[in-house]
Amino acid sequence: MRSRTFIMAFIVTVLSLTTAGNTNAQNTTQPYIDMNTTVQREVTPDELYLKIVISEKDYKGKKSLEEMQEAMLGALKANRIDIPECLTLNYMGSEVSYKTFSKKIKPKTQATYMLKLYDATIMQQVILSLEERQISNIELAKMKFTKEKELKKEMAIEAMQQAKAEAETLAGAIGQQVGKAISINSWMNGGEVQPRMYKSRANMVMEDAVAEGASMAAPIISIGKITYNFNVNVRFELQ
């Protein structure tokens, strides 16, 4: 009898402790509110990359590849482009600097160059100068925004402040206050833009000529904005 009584007392004690633990857990559950916020920014790219292709076969009987290269360099110098800094040559599947290819590397039949510029107006002037020298195989290859890290920090702060403000508005509607953040998730997307090829004056004449003198029109260059989205998912305690 004493053994049975002891066992029953032990079971009752365990059940009591378990029930008390569950009750305390329920009583200490912290109410919270989840907020999802997105901040968007559009920025103007500050690095523009022109791909310039010259080919000897295009100028057979007229000018050699070396002569066309010199014509290209002349156009860049006329527009005060820092050639050693901004011009690279695609050689054997890799980019080499101007200082390297100008002294050692001599492409034979075709050369592809990448020109880095910082302003759309300068880019248009460069393209016009190249066309005047019979170089028109030009493409706006890519665009970049070099201050992306700084922009990300600014957008993160703005997104968090916006999330908290919205949470305070919702909580205030039911007489509660927002406490500390207990979880934060964030991610950034965007930043990519598909550059558009420009239309040379010759193509414009074929496509859009409506009056005499259209052949003298300037090339159309489309420089789009780069869009960034910063997303925040944050959980706040409610008090």
Side-chain angles (χ1 to χ4, degrees):
M1 290 295 293
R2 289 182 179 180
S3 297
R4 180 182 297 179
T5 301
F6 176 78
I7 292 172
M8 291 298 295
F10 176 77
I11 293 173
V12 170
T13 301
V14 171
L15 290 174
S16 298
L17 290 174
T18 302
T19 302
N22 290 337
T23 302
N24 290 333
Q26 292 174 359
N27 291 336
T28 58
T29 298
Q30 177 66 47
Y32 61 84
I33 181 172
D34 283 330
M35 300 302 303
N36 294 296
T37 303
T38 298
V39 172
Q40 186 178 90
R41 294 278 185 86
E42 288 188 344
V43 297
T44 300
D46 56 5
E47 279 190 2
L48 310 168
Y49 292 82
L50 285 181
K51 184 170 74 172
I52 305 169
V53 181
I54 58 176
S55 178
E56 193 169 74
K57 65 181 180 180
D58 293 338
Y59 310 101
K60 189 175 182 180
K62 297 181 181 180
K63 294 181 180 180
S64 67
L65 186 67
E66 287 75 14
E67 289 174 318
M68 295 307 299
Q69 178 176 272
E70 289 302 314
M72 176 190 68
L73 296 176
L76 301 184
K77 290 175 182 177
N79 286 279
R80 299 181 179 180
I81 303 300
D82 186 346
I83 295 175
E85 168 67 22
C86 299
L87 188 67
T88 55
L89 170 68
N90 188 332
Y91 187 79
M92 301 290 289
S94 61
E95 295 286 333
V96 296
S97 69
Y98 169 76
K99 291 180 180 180
T100 300
F101 76 74
S102 64
K103 295 178 180 180
K104 301 178 182 179
I105 298 175
K106 299 296 182 182
K108 298 301 182 182
T109 58
Q110 179 173 292
T112 301
Y113 303 87
M114 191 67 72
L115 178 65
K116 178 172 67 174
L117 300 171
Y118 304 96
D119 181 82
T121 301
I122 296 298
M123 185 179 73
Q124 179 160 337
Q125 293 173 1
V126 168
I127 291 175
L128 285 170
S129 297
L130 290 170
E131 283 200 329
E132 289 171 357
R133 292 163 173 79
Q134 301 178 347
I135 300 173
S136 59
N137 191 351
I138 309 166
E139 176 185 347
L140 178 56
K142 63 179 178 178
M143 298 182 282
K144 291 176 59 178
F145 182 65
T146 59
K147 299 178 181 179
E148 184 176 299
K149 289 184 179 180
E150 292 85 346
L151 178 65
K152 183 177 181 179
K153 292 179 181 178
E154 293 176 6
M155 295 177 71
I157 293 172
E158 182 179 342
M160 284 298 298
Q161 291 175 340
Q162 184 174 319
K164 185 175 181 181
E166 292 177 359
E168 289 173 341
T169 299
L170 294 175
I174 56 174
Q176 292 186 288
Q177 294 183 337
V178 172
K180 65 181 180 180
I182 54 179
S183 70
I184 300 173
N185 293 300
S186 67
W187 64 98
M188 192 172 188
N189 52 33
E192 297 294 332
V193 61
Q194 182 63 40
R196 296 178 58 186
M197 292 181 64
Y198 83 101
K199 291 183 179 180
S200 68
R201 284 173 288 180
N203 288 336
M204 289 176 64
V205 171
M206 295 175 61
E207 297 176 3
D208 306 315
V210 292
E212 291 185 4
S215 60
M216 299 305 294
I220 297 174
I221 305 172
S222 178
I223 304 296
K225 297 266 187 187
I226 300 178
T227 301
Y228 289 93
N229 294 294
F230 193 90
N231 309 278
V232 164
N233 173 261
V234 56
R235 176 172 292 183
F236 294 102
E237 287 184 349
L238 288 178
Q239 300 172 348

